Amino acid sequence: MRPAEEVARAAALAGPLGELLPPVDFCCAYGSTLLHARPDASSMVDYILGVPDPLQWHSENLERNPDHYSGWMARLGPGAITRLADNIGVGVYFNPFVEWRDKRIKYGVVRMKDLAMDVLTWDRFYLSGRLQKPVHVLVDNWDIRKINTINLKMATSASLLLLPAEFTEYDLYAQICSLSYMGDLRMLFAEDKNKVKKIVEGSFPSFQSMYRPLIQEYIAEGLLKTSSYGQQKAFHQDCGASATNELFSYLPWTIQRRLQGRFASNCKEMPTRASVSSKDVTATCVRKALRRRVMVSSARQAMSGLLASGGAVAARYLGKKISKAWKSRTV
């Protein structure tokens, strides 16, 4: 995309923030619409909005845009909206199918503290997974940008533990992209089976921009060696115990404690550093921990969305997802 087109695209994406919604501390656009310069008219542009106080934000937004909410949630008010997000969902409240000019948008509102906690600790592995992929940041926040560099390093380390000794640059980005879909219930019936492939191929240069500095860091540390594979880079990683321990030590403690049976699942203290002896055992542990987190988070958020949107809107959204998934399986 040429610079002028990129500026126009950014202005179009940012439009709803200035014209439609109350102020936010952080905003990014994400999803498949970012992969296409001219998405079709039925596509929704997806946003994550970080706000300091969801209760206050929803109060103001209900005054401005009551039609964004289902009738019963609008009647129950901002307190019920935030309780639904926090107690049933994973801290995010989505309003889908919002009409703005000639576009359709979906936006999720999250408390800044909860966003930062998930990005830094993978406590729910919901928003952290989205920020491991290319997004279009429209309202930047220094704290989120800073901790997301840690998130990217953790994603790289987890992916290296799951990858074989030899792999390509594409394989690495596909594995990173796959982390947040492991265990996602929607992938069984309501998502495009080629979703990961389309994301990586559609934004390969953006993945390179995000992850190549980290790759160079791992090469300098001796964890990776590189060679050419056609127009791509190919890698060979050290699968020994020392390298495996180092990669494992970069993961958030919420994942590390899965390997430490003496830590209860509700423990809030930082565990001592685990020592692992086998890459295969470590990979199995990481895979199980992420799959469980994603499964729980996706189920909770699906239930929250069903209650928030009401039956008709939820059926419409699910129908669109299933249609897209069906088309991908019949091609």
Side-chain angles (χ1 to χ4, degrees):
M1 196 180 297
R2 292 189 296 272
E5 293 177 337
E6 183 66 27
V7 170
R9 179 81 181 281
L13 289 171
L17 299 178
E19 298 180 20
L20 190 66
L21 301 172
V24 301
D25 284 2
F26 172 81
C27 173
C28 69
Y30 69 95
S32 58
T33 53
L34 297 184
L35 307 182
H36 309 289
R38 296 176 178 83
D40 63 80
S42 65
S43 298
M44 278 196 294
V45 182
D46 299 329
Y47 296 88
I48 292 295
L49 311 178
V51 303
D53 183 354
L55 183 65
Q56 180 180 341
W57 194 92
H58 285 297
S59 296
E60 184 176 345
N61 197 42
L62 278 165
E63 292 183 8
R64 290 192 188 191
N65 305 297
D67 56 315
H68 290 188
Y69 300 81
S70 64
W72 81 292
M73 291 307 299
R75 288 192 295 273
L76 289 173
I81 291 169
T82 54
R83 285 194 297 273
L84 177 65
D86 293 339
N87 299 333
I88 297 179
V90 291
V92 191
Y93 185 92
F94 280 97
N95 278 328
F97 297 111
V98 172
E99 302 291 339
W100 176 74
R101 293 187 178 180
D102 59 343
K103 296 180 175 61
R104 186 174 292 155
I105 69 173
K106 178 181 78 173
Y107 60 87
V109 181
V110 62
R111 187 179 291 102
M112 286 295 291
K113 182 177 72 173
D114 294 340
L115 171 60
M117 182 63 68
D118 189 35
V119 171
L120 190 60
T121 70
W122 293 5
D123 185 43
R124 289 167 171 168
F125 206 63
Y126 189 78
L127 299 175
S128 48
R130 279 158 176 74
L131 293 180
Q132 290 164 3
K133 307 175 189 70
V135 298
H136 200 120
V137 176
L138 300 167
V139 178
D140 205 354
N141 181 281
W142 171 247
D143 290 332
I144 298 299
R145 183 195 293 190
K146 183 168 59 176
I147 63 175
N148 198 48
T149 60
I150 301 172
N151 183 31
L152 299 186
K153 184 166 186 175
M154 295 188 298
T156 305
S157 299
S159 296
L160 290 175
L161 288 168
L162 297 174
L163 285 166
E166 295 185 356
F167 55 92
T168 66
E169 189 173 13
Y170 175 92
D171 295 333
L172 175 60
Y173 301 150
Q175 183 62 70
I176 290 170
C177 188
S178 299
L179 295 177
S180 59
Y181 297 127
M182 294 191 300
D184 191 332
L185 300 176
R186 298 171 304 170
M187 297 302 291
L188 298 176
F189 63 93
E191 285 290 3
D192 186 340
K193 69 171 185 176
N194 300 311
K195 189 178 185 75
V196 169
K197 180 181 178 183
K198 288 180 178 178
I199 291 174
V200 176
E201 291 182 353
S203 50
F204 197 82
S206 297
F207 271 105
Q208 290 179 316
S209 176
M210 292 172 69
Y211 286 100
R212 277 200 167 173
L214 284 169
I215 291 172
Q216 291 302 318
E217 181 181 323
Y218 283 55
I219 291 172
E221 292 175 1
L223 297 173
L224 289 178
K225 293 181 180 178
T226 183
S227 60
S228 296
Y229 181 79
Q231 295 182 341
Q232 283 191 50
K233 286 184 178 295
F235 299 99
H236 179 88
Q237 64 169 321
D238 183 350
C239 294
S242 177
T244 299
N245 271 283
E246 186 164 357
L247 290 173
F248 190 70
S249 72
Y250 294 149
L251 301 185
W253 67 269
T254 53
I255 304 300
Q256 289 190 42
R257 74 183 180 196
R258 291 284 299 179
L259 204 64
Q260 298 173 298
R262 65 182 183 275
F263 283 92
S265 61
N266 61 353
C267 175
K268 299 299 182 183
E269 297 180 3
M270 183 75 75
T272 56
R273 177 169 172 169
S275 178
V276 296
S277 57
S278 165
K279 184 174 185 294
D280 290 341
V281 170
T282 307
T284 298
C285 167
V286 171
R287 189 177 290 108
K288 285 182 177 179
L290 293 180
R291 183 175 289 129
R292 177 174 175 78
R293 261 177 172 66
V294 173
M295 185 179 296
V296 171
S297 292
S298 64
R300 288 182 60 179
Q301 193 58 39
M303 180 58 68
S304 173
L306 178 64
L307 293 173
S309 301
V313 174
R316 181 184 176 192
Y317 182 69
L318 185 59
K320 182 179 177 183
K321 286 284 191 180
I322 292 175
S323 175
K324 186 184 293 186
W326 178 254
K327 287 178 182 177
S328 75
R329 285 164 169 77
T330 55
V331 173

